[in-house]
Amino acid sequence: IDLYLKKGMNDFITKPYDELDFFRKIEHVMSLSKDDIKVEDEINKEIKQDKPLYDLGQLQQMSRGNEQFVDKMVKLFISLAKDNIQIFEQSLNNNDINTITKTAHKIKPSIDQMGIESLKEVIRKVENYNIESGSKEELIINIGIIIRVLRLVINSLNELP
């Protein structure tokens, strides 16, 4: 397995797979440069942790047993996370560091409240990124981690009853 991972085979498609998804995945991999693959590897390494994606304990404690409140806050988080993912992607493409750091600052309390432990340190690194002394590659990796984890959390929250 390590040999395949070293060669860049670090993704998957679940069965049964859609033929169009399969071809999109191949197209995506074929379009990656070596630098992109390195960034992808770093993101995948950071995400693979044994921690739960999120913990609604703090939210449930605040709600004092009001499940409607928890449900409403989860739906609000999903909506905000989707919006912030788009902002991160657009800002990164436009090299808009100011918007990136402001977005990280804005979403940080929601990440903490939702108990997304894997992003607590990463979101603070992005929030405090200094364009003069910070590594652009590290910023790209950290934003990739944030986006991937938020998407995983959104998918998992959408599966809640």
PDB file of all heavy atoms in Angstrom, residues 132-144:
ATOM      1  N   GLU A 132       4.047  38.482   5.205  1.00  0.00           N
ATOM      2  CA  GLU A 132       5.474  38.764   5.086  1.00  0.00           C
ATOM      3  C   GLU A 132       6.347  37.628   5.610  1.00  0.00           C
ATOM      4  O   GLU A 132       7.431  37.381   5.085  1.00  0.00           O
ATOM      5  CB  GLU A 132       5.803  40.070   5.814  1.00  0.00           C
ATOM      6  CG  GLU A 132       5.156  41.265   5.138  1.00  0.00           C
ATOM      7  CD  GLU A 132       5.122  42.503   6.020  1.00  0.00           C
ATOM      8  OE1 GLU A 132       5.737  42.496   7.096  1.00  0.00           O
ATOM      9  OE2 GLU A 132       4.478  43.470   5.607  1.00  0.00           O
ATOM     10  N   SER A 133       5.880  36.936   6.629  1.00  0.00           N
ATOM     11  CA  SER A 133       6.726  35.896   7.217  1.00  0.00           C
ATOM     12  C   SER A 133       6.154  34.484   7.058  1.00  0.00           C
ATOM     13  O   SER A 133       6.837  33.510   7.351  1.00  0.00           O
ATOM     14  CB  SER A 133       6.940  36.181   8.713  1.00  0.00           C
ATOM     15  OG  SER A 133       5.692  36.157   9.387  1.00  0.00           O
ATOM     16  N   GLY A 134       4.924  34.375   6.582  1.00  0.00           N
ATOM     17  CA  GLY A 134       4.284  33.069   6.473  1.00  0.00           C
ATOM     18  C   GLY A 134       4.591  32.359   5.168  1.00  0.00           C
ATOM     19  O   GLY A 134       4.914  32.984   4.155  1.00  0.00           O
ATOM     20  N   SER A 135       4.490  31.056   5.198  1.00  0.00           N
ATOM     21  CA  SER A 135       4.713  30.227   4.022  1.00  0.00           C
ATOM     22  C   SER A 135       3.401  30.097   3.239  1.00  0.00           C
ATOM     23  O   SER A 135       2.384  29.670   3.786  1.00  0.00           O
ATOM     24  CB  SER A 135       5.193  28.839   4.460  1.00  0.00           C
ATOM     25  OG  SER A 135       4.977  27.889   3.455  1.00  0.00           O
ATOM     26  N   LYS A 136       3.451  30.466   1.971  1.00  0.00           N
ATOM     27  CA  LYS A 136       2.254  30.379   1.122  1.00  0.00           C
ATOM     28  C   LYS A 136       1.807  28.919   0.976  1.00  0.00           C
ATOM     29  O   LYS A 136       0.623  28.615   0.990  1.00  0.00           O
ATOM     30  CB  LYS A 136       2.553  31.002  -0.245  1.00  0.00           C
ATOM     31  CG  LYS A 136       1.394  30.970  -1.226  1.00  0.00           C
ATOM     32  CD  LYS A 136       0.367  32.029  -0.891  1.00  0.00           C
ATOM     33  CE  LYS A 136      -0.831  31.960  -1.798  1.00  0.00           C
ATOM     34  NZ  LYS A 136      -0.852  32.769  -2.943  1.00  0.00           N
ATOM     35  N   GLU A 137       2.786  28.019   0.852  1.00  0.00           N
ATOM     36  CA  GLU A 137       2.455  26.595   0.730  1.00  0.00           C
ATOM     37  C   GLU A 137       1.727  26.093   1.979  1.00  0.00           C
ATOM     38  O   GLU A 137       0.747  25.366   1.886  1.00  0.00           O
ATOM     39  CB  GLU A 137       3.717  25.768   0.500  1.00  0.00           C
ATOM     40  CG  GLU A 137       3.431  24.298   0.287  1.00  0.00           C
ATOM     41  CD  GLU A 137       4.670  23.488  -0.006  1.00  0.00           C
ATOM     42  OE1 GLU A 137       5.565  24.003  -0.709  1.00  0.00           O
ATOM     43  OE2 GLU A 137       4.740  22.352   0.475  1.00  0.00           O
ATOM     44  N   GLU A 138       2.189  26.525   3.151  1.00  0.00           N
ATOM     45  CA  GLU A 138       1.532  26.123   4.401  1.00  0.00           C
ATOM     46  C   GLU A 138       0.106  26.683   4.467  1.00  0.00           C
ATOM     47  O   GLU A 138      -0.817  26.002   4.916  1.00  0.00           O
ATOM     48  CB  GLU A 138       2.344  26.590   5.605  1.00  0.00           C
ATOM     49  CG  GLU A 138       1.763  26.110   6.926  1.00  0.00           C
ATOM     50  CD  GLU A 138       2.577  26.556   8.139  1.00  0.00           C
ATOM     51  OE1 GLU A 138       3.742  26.944   7.985  1.00  0.00           O
ATOM     52  OE2 GLU A 138       2.012  26.508   9.242  1.00  0.00           O
ATOM     53  N   LEU A 139      -0.066  27.916   4.014  1.00  0.00           N
ATOM     54  CA  LEU A 139      -1.404  28.509   3.986  1.00  0.00           C
ATOM     55  C   LEU A 139      -2.327  27.700   3.081  1.00  0.00           C
ATOM     56  O   LEU A 139      -3.466  27.391   3.453  1.00  0.00           O
ATOM     57  CB  LEU A 139      -1.342  29.962   3.512  1.00  0.00           C
ATOM     58  CG  LEU A 139      -2.691  30.674   3.398  1.00  0.00           C
ATOM     59  CD1 LEU A 139      -3.335  30.859   4.770  1.00  0.00           C
ATOM     60  CD2 LEU A 139      -2.527  32.032   2.696  1.00  0.00           C
ATOM     61  N   ILE A 140      -1.846  27.329   1.908  1.00  0.00           N
ATOM     62  CA  ILE A 140      -2.645  26.542   0.965  1.00  0.00           C
ATOM     63  C   ILE A 140      -3.021  25.194   1.582  1.00  0.00           C
ATOM     64  O   ILE A 140      -4.172  24.754   1.486  1.00  0.00           O
ATOM     65  CB  ILE A 140      -1.877  26.358  -0.363  1.00  0.00           C
ATOM     66  CG1 ILE A 140      -1.763  27.706  -1.091  1.00  0.00           C
ATOM     67  CG2 ILE A 140      -2.551  25.317  -1.243  1.00  0.00           C
ATOM     68  CD1 ILE A 140      -0.802  27.709  -2.257  1.00  0.00           C
ATOM     69  N   ILE A 141      -2.052  24.559   2.231  1.00  0.00           N
ATOM     70  CA  ILE A 141      -2.324  23.273   2.878  1.00  0.00           C
ATOM     71  C   ILE A 141      -3.365  23.439   3.979  1.00  0.00           C
ATOM     72  O   ILE A 141      -4.326  22.662   4.068  1.00  0.00           O
ATOM     73  CB  ILE A 141      -1.019  22.652   3.431  1.00  0.00           C
ATOM     74  CG1 ILE A 141      -0.137  22.196   2.271  1.00  0.00           C
ATOM     75  CG2 ILE A 141      -1.316  21.503   4.398  1.00  0.00           C
ATOM     76  CD1 ILE A 141       1.276  21.823   2.676  1.00  0.00           C
ATOM     77  N   ASN A 142      -3.212  24.467   4.808  1.00  0.00           N
ATOM     78  CA  ASN A 142      -4.155  24.682   5.911  1.00  0.00           C
ATOM     79  C   ASN A 142      -5.564  24.986   5.419  1.00  0.00           C
ATOM     80  O   ASN A 142      -6.546  24.491   5.981  1.00  0.00           O
ATOM     81  CB  ASN A 142      -3.653  25.780   6.842  1.00  0.00           C
ATOM     82  CG  ASN A 142      -2.493  25.319   7.694  1.00  0.00           C
ATOM     83  OD1 ASN A 142      -2.337  24.132   7.968  1.00  0.00           O
ATOM     84  ND2 ASN A 142      -1.656  26.244   8.119  1.00  0.00           N
ATOM     85  N   ILE A 143      -5.673  25.772   4.368  1.00  0.00           N
ATOM     86  CA  ILE A 143      -6.998  26.050   3.809  1.00  0.00           C
ATOM     87  C   ILE A 143      -7.585  24.771   3.222  1.00  0.00           C
ATOM     88  O   ILE A 143      -8.785  24.494   3.376  1.00  0.00           O
ATOM     89  CB  ILE A 143      -6.939  27.185   2.768  1.00  0.00           C
ATOM     90  CG1 ILE A 143      -6.626  28.502   3.479  1.00  0.00           C
ATOM     91  CG2 ILE A 143      -8.264  27.295   2.011  1.00  0.00           C
ATOM     92  CD1 ILE A 143      -6.351  29.653   2.560  1.00  0.00           C
ATOM     93  N   GLY A 144      -6.750  23.967   2.575  1.00  0.00           N
ATOM     94  CA  GLY A 144      -7.218  22.675   2.062  1.00  0.00           C
ATOM     95  C   GLY A 144      -7.739  21.783   3.168  1.00  0.00           C
ATOM     96  O   GLY A 144      -8.770  21.118   3.022  1.00  0.00           O
TER      97      GLY A 144
END
